[in-house]
Amino acid sequence: MNKEVSIRRQIASLHPAHVGAGLRILGFTESSSEWKLHEYNKREDDFPSLRAYNDYLEEVEDIIINLVEGVDVQATKDKVAKYQEENAEQIVASRARKAEEQAAALRQENGFPEIKVSNGEQVALQAAPSGQYAPALLPGGLYMQPRPAGSGPQPVPVGGPFNNDSVPEDEEARRVRIERAARAGGWTADIVRKRALQEALGSLWVN
Amino acid sequence: MADFQTSTHRQHWILSRQDLAQKYQIANQRAIQMLLKYGATRVEVQQDGSLVYPGTPLETERNGTERHTSLPEPLTIDEEFLIRRYYELKIQQVCAAFAFPNKIQATAVLFFKRFYLQWSVMEHDPKHIMLTCIYLSCKVEEFHVSAEELGKGIQQDPQVVLKNELTVLQGLHFDLIVYAPYRSLDGFLFDMENFVQGTNNSSTQKLQEAAKFVVDTVILTDCPLLFTPGQLALAALRKANLEERAVDFERYLQSLCDRHPKHTFKELTLTFDAIDTTVDVSRQPKEADLMPIDRKLKYCRNPGLQDESKKRERKVKHKSKRVSQDTSMTTTVDASPMV
């Protein structure tokens, strides 16, 4: 089971959110299936017809079954790699789209308590009868507040520094960014020290 | 992760001095035999990757004595050593010119050394092997440069590199992971920092740089084939500390031995002394010394060149003799230039 989950996670970097439905059937909760599947991330509207989309989904399921059962692993992996290459651009855009949607959803969740505090009963009265999203009814200014500055409608993952047109990145900021990226991947400076020490003490003697 | 204790570096490529001398002897003898047998020592790589000694097999016995006089003179083991040393320095210079990371030149030099344990310098052209070693080292240390880039950078033919690649890999027995002393050096410095609280950053920095410089010179000697990287690193640290005087090295070494009872203070000190003497004794050959050796090497690999050059020499000698006869000057200048 864990193996299948991890494989799905990998494929999902290339794969659409709908495969999460399959996971739900297997008994996983909504929240866990959300963050799976970010690779194969084509949506239904990316395909010309429902039939094409279903074919694509079936292809993905085949790949996953192959990897889980250990059938034709090498051929399957080659297929995945090839897909990744062909659709790299598309994957990035889809990922960005997904990130934006998630951010929007989060903002809605957080938006409610903030707005309630500032506007009090007025908002609650408006929200209840209409049943629409409350942020849509609010005066535009309040809604815009939580939104991070500088992010356009389609934030591209590597677009961080380019949005800041005021000052080009200097050496220090670049180094900080690189180090933060490394730490996000689980690297710590301690690892370097430990490895050096281990090699030093381990290679002091031949016998 | 990379573990020295289980590595092929430790198992196959740390030898004793006798083994080392024996291997050089064997390679040298084989090359000399090939010289007698085929008239040339060079080994050529065929299309299918097999190695062949070209040149026609010489006739034995009957013309044996006459043949011997026209055969080129083979290199001695010491001369081979000088040539190798020259090309190892060249490797370091080329890698510095390309601004490769430090580990690449260390790996390339080690590959070069290991390859010439199996083969003699007369058999494979050291220049081509040098380029191939750099290329392989870039691949192994995950800093890939294409052969074309390498060729463009130093104005050499990239095909040479690709042709020799498999030969070099086979010569290395495909043992590609090399432990250079640099990481061990960093490890010992960290350990030293923890142990000696009083040191400030700048002195450790200077010590580190001085030690790195010492390691660069150590790598050029035979030491990496005789001692482990940890020993080389500590020896380099000790030597650098003699000048920088950043730490009390004796105390540190003693504490190291106390913490790891496997090593004794005396053994380690002896090892470091051995490394130091080897480094101090060896010196970089000068260009002038190398010219005649290089010429010998060229003739060994391709005796045809020797005949051509002899003809040229004779022509020039004739010319100069005629000139001196024409003039009425009594002084005869020996004008035969070295080709």
Side-chain angles (χ1 to χ4, degrees):
Chain A
M1 193 59 81
N2 283 331
K3 185 177 170 194
E4 175 160 9
V5 166
S6 64
I7 289 175
R8 279 190 188 271
R9 213 179 295 165
Q10 284 172 22
I11 297 287
S13 200
L14 306 168
H15 222 288
H18 276 269
V19 186
L23 277 177
R24 252 176 269 133
I25 294 168
L26 289 170
F28 287 91
T29 61
E30 180 73 56
S31 56
S32 61
S33 66
E34 261 175 20
W35 52 277
K36 301 187 184 0
L37 317 171
H38 36 281
E39 249 181 11
Y40 269 122
N41 50 9
K42 283 197 182 152
R43 303 291 178 83
E44 188 161 3
D45 28 354
D46 284 348
F47 289 86
S49 71
L50 183 61
R51 179 62 205 250
Y53 183 47
N54 286 336
D55 286 345
Y56 170 78
L57 285 183
E58 181 167 319
E59 209 180 283
V60 169
E61 287 300 325
D62 282 348
I63 289 179
I64 291 183
I65 283 293
N66 279 348
L67 288 176
V68 168
E69 300 294 331
V71 170
D72 282 348
V73 175
Q74 192 51 48
T76 316
K77 281 194 179 154
D78 291 346
K79 239 193 288 177
V80 171
K82 208 168 121 242
Y83 178 98
Q84 204 167 4
E85 266 176 279
E86 284 166 8
N87 300 300
E89 216 180 274
Q90 219 266 322
I91 289 168
V92 165
S94 307
R95 255 189 247 185
R97 218 184 336 164
K98 193 146 178 245
E100 167 69 25
E101 286 176 17
Q102 281 182 348
L106 258 175
R107 248 178 273 121
Q108 282 172 18
E109 283 176 31
N110 293 337
F112 277 116
E114 274 185 21
I115 293 154
K116 274 199 187 120
V117 163
S118 54
N119 268 11
E121 306 100 13
Q122 197 181 6
V123 176
L125 282 172
Q126 278 185 346
S130 57
Q132 290 173 8
Y133 290 134
L137 302 175
L138 286 172
L142 271 169
Y143 177 63
M144 296 310 281
Q145 256 173 12
R147 233 192 147 91
S151 62
Q154 185 84 255
V156 181
V158 295
F162 301 121
N163 287 341
N164 187 6
D165 342 270
S166 51
V167 166
E169 231 182 17
D170 62 344
E171 191 58 37
E172 183 65 42
R174 189 173 149 270
R175 254 186 282 134
V176 166
R177 180 167 63 92
I178 290 175
E179 197 186 317
R180 258 203 261 146
R183 259 192 270 134
W187 175 91
T188 55
D190 204 36
I191 292 180
V192 177
R193 263 179 250 130
K194 278 208 195 123
R195 181 178 177 185
L197 203 55
Q198 183 198 29
E199 185 169 320
L201 297 172
S203 67
L204 202 44
W205 222 246
V206 186
N207 312 316
Chain B
M1 274 277 268
D3 177 26
F4 180 75
Q5 290 296 319
T6 56
S7 66
T8 52
H9 184 155
R10 175 172 167 262
Q11 282 170 13
H12 301 155
W13 295 104
I14 309 246
L15 312 161
S16 65
R17 283 198 200 267
Q18 294 99 309
D19 285 341
L20 209 63
Q22 201 177 31
K23 284 198 181 227
Y24 287 142
Q25 180 79 357
I26 290 174
N28 188 262
Q29 286 302 331
R30 187 182 59 226
I32 295 180
Q33 276 171 14
M34 289 303 142
L35 186 63
L36 298 174
K37 194 164 155 200
Y38 290 113
T41 55
R42 74 179 183 284
V43 176
E44 274 179 12
V45 186
Q46 306 295 92
Q47 286 283 21
D48 61 354
S50 60
L51 302 172
V52 169
Y53 288 94
T56 51
L58 301 176
E59 293 159 34
T60 53
E61 307 321 321
R62 273 190 299 128
N63 318 356
T65 41
E66 297 152 39
R67 272 294 184 179
H68 274 265
T69 47
S70 71
L71 269 184
E73 205 184 313
L75 296 177
T76 65
I77 297 186
D78 294 323
E79 288 171 340
E80 286 196 22
F81 175 73
L82 287 176
I83 289 263
R84 265 184 284 123
R85 171 97 191 212
Y86 171 73
Y87 278 102
E88 282 163 19
L89 186 64
K90 258 268 152 24
I91 291 181
Q92 287 191 335
Q93 289 170 346
V94 168
C95 289
F98 273 103
F100 286 153
N102 207 5
K103 51 186 177 172
I104 288 188
Q105 55 91 10
T107 312
V109 171
L110 232 342
F111 281 170
F112 190 83
K113 280 193 214 285
R114 289 181 184 182
F115 181 77
Y116 279 114
L117 276 181
Q118 327 290 335
W119 293 95
S120 156
V121 172
M122 298 184 264
E123 287 166 327
H124 285 105
D125 186 4
K127 189 165 85 165
H128 300 163
I129 301 296
M130 165 184 102
L131 299 173
T132 315
C133 280
I134 297 179
Y135 177 65
L136 276 178
S137 154
C138 289
K139 275 192 185 174
V140 167
E141 298 291 347
E142 312 205 4
F143 193 80
H144 182 258
V145 273
S146 72
E148 272 88 31
E149 271 180 63
L150 207 60
K152 255 187 269 170
I154 33 183
Q155 283 97 40
Q156 299 289 339
D157 179 20
Q159 285 312 310
V160 143
V161 168
L162 297 175
K163 211 166 71 157
N164 281 314
E165 190 181 353
L166 204 54
T167 315
V168 173
L169 282 173
Q170 283 172 337
L172 296 171
H173 299 309
F174 292 91
D175 293 334
L176 298 175
I177 300 285
V178 162
Y179 289 84
Y182 297 105
R183 201 176 284 121
S184 308
L185 190 67
D186 289 337
F188 282 122
L189 275 168
F190 285 135
D191 197 35
M192 220 180 260
E193 272 172 30
N194 294 338
F195 165 72
V196 181
Q197 283 86 358
T199 49
N200 52 338
N201 258 343
S202 68
S203 68
T204 347
Q205 270 287 86
K206 275 197 277 181
L207 185 61
Q208 187 175 33
E209 296 191 5
K212 275 208 180 124
F213 189 70
V214 176
V215 170
D216 288 340
T217 43
V218 167
I219 283 184
L220 289 177
T221 67
D222 272 338
C223 287
L225 294 169
L226 299 168
F227 301 101
T228 68
Q231 293 165 349
L232 293 174
L234 263 186
L237 258 181
R238 187 175 86 152
K239 192 152 190 212
N241 196 45
L242 280 178
E243 297 165 22
E244 298 286 331
R245 300 209 174 280
V247 216
D248 185 353
F249 194 80
E250 302 267 324
R251 244 180 73 207
Y252 171 68
L253 199 58
Q254 191 63 52
S255 87
L256 193 67
C257 296
D258 293 335
R259 273 179 288 152
H260 306 271
K262 202 168 161 209
H263 322 303
T264 68
F265 185 80
K266 194 148 184 226
E267 286 173 327
L268 283 178
T269 326
L270 282 176
T271 318
F272 301 153
D273 289 336
I275 297 176
D276 280 343
T277 40
T278 319
V279 173
D280 292 331
V281 158
S282 75
R283 28 144 218 104
Q284 193 60 25
K286 291 193 273 289
E287 293 269 350
D289 299 333
L290 282 168
M291 289 295 285
I293 304 179
D294 196 40
R295 216 177 311 138
K296 262 170 89 172
L297 180 62
K298 271 210 268 279
Y299 294 153
C300 279
R301 289 176 55 77
N302 203 347
L305 290 174
Q306 195 183 30
D307 300 331
E308 279 176 34
S309 77
K310 278 200 177 140
K311 279 189 218 155
R312 245 180 290 151
E313 267 189 39
R314 261 179 258 135
K315 270 196 201 154
V316 175
K317 271 202 176 127
H318 277 295
K319 256 196 197 161
S320 74
K321 276 211 179 114
R322 256 183 284 135
V323 166
S324 63
Q325 279 171 9
D326 288 347
T327 63
S328 51
M329 292 309 223
T330 45
T331 51
T332 44
V333 181
D334 182 9
S336 55
M338 298 304 270
V339 176

